[in-house]
Amino acid sequence: VDLSRTAFLLVDVYLPPPQVGLSTLSQTDYNDKKRIFEEHIAPALAAARRVGLPIVYVANSAPRIAVEKSTFGKHLQAVGTDFLKEFAEESVDPLEYQRGPTESLVYPDAIAPQPGDYYIRKHVYSGFYATRLEALLRNLDVNTLIAVGIRLDACLGSTLLDAHYRNFQVILL
């Protein structure tokens, strides 16, 4: 792997407290997930920072693009997700994004975004669909992604497949 052309990609690595927002985790499941973040993802992130890889977070968001009226938005509503409420953020431009209390986008301290990291907001499963992710990676001259996340069956998997289709090498930790 050519580290000069590699980025570290974190997909949806936030962890809301049990029974808050999208979280339907029991306390035990929450503790298990937190342990994975702290014992596995945090050391990998720290190593990526040490060798100077660009750090790129990809996270759900609530852009003001009428997502709730889309087929995907209707799917989310059918499974009980209030997209605009779940992914509202307190510190976004209210002309572009749904502004409100952040319920779901809570990052454990060990893996929270830091100054200088990149943060891409997405509104469907893939971090590439209608976002600035590909432009960022091309501008950084990245061709390899080292990726972490939790939901390989949804957002992480969709993002990595789209990376592969765009000719990025993908390493899933």
Side-chain angles (χ1 to χ4, degrees):
V1 173
D2 178 356
L3 293 181
S4 70
R5 299 197 63 209
T6 301
F8 193 80
L9 184 70
L10 300 101
V11 180
D12 292 339
V13 294
Y14 41 83
L15 185 62
Q19 305 303 318
V20 172
L22 280 180
S23 180
T24 56
L25 296 175
S26 68
Q27 187 65 50
T28 300
D29 290 340
Y30 170 85
N31 291 340
D32 288 345
K33 195 171 180 183
K34 185 175 181 192
R35 183 184 51 74
I36 290 168
F37 283 5
E38 291 173 349
E39 295 178 12
H40 300 283
I41 294 177
L45 175 58
R49 289 187 193 287
R50 275 194 306 276
V51 299
L53 297 184
I55 307 299
V56 181
Y57 288 80
V58 176
N60 286 314
S61 68
R64 296 192 62 229
I65 58 169
V67 171
E68 70 279 5
K69 295 181 181 194
S70 72
T71 302
F72 182 73
K74 290 175 184 172
H75 159 74
L76 292 176
Q77 291 169 10
V79 297
T81 300
D82 182 345
F83 194 82
L84 294 176
K85 182 179 178 193
E86 300 292 343
F87 300 118
E89 296 175 75
E90 295 169 4
S91 61
V92 292
D93 180 347
L95 295 175
E96 189 173 5
Y97 291 94
Q98 183 70 27
R99 193 173 206 169
T102 301
E103 292 188 359
S104 295
L105 302 173
V106 178
Y107 291 88
D109 290 341
I111 59 171
Q114 303 296 312
D117 293 343
Y118 297 95
Y119 195 90
I120 301 293
R121 289 175 171 87
K122 65 182 181 64
H123 60 277
V124 296
Y125 289 154
S126 174
F128 282 95
Y129 180 79
T131 71
R132 299 174 178 114
L133 180 57
E134 185 170 8
L136 169 65
L137 297 172
R138 300 288 181 214
N139 288 340
L140 293 172
D141 196 29
V142 165
N143 69 359
T144 302
L145 299 172
I146 298 174
V148 297
I150 297 292
R151 296 293 309 268
L152 192 57
D153 63 331
C155 300
L156 178 60
S158 295
T159 299
L160 297 185
L161 279 173
D162 277 356
H164 179 73
Y165 298 152
R166 288 166 170 79
N167 209 29
F168 290 97
Q169 293 180 29
V170 175
I171 300 168
L172 174 61
L173 298 184

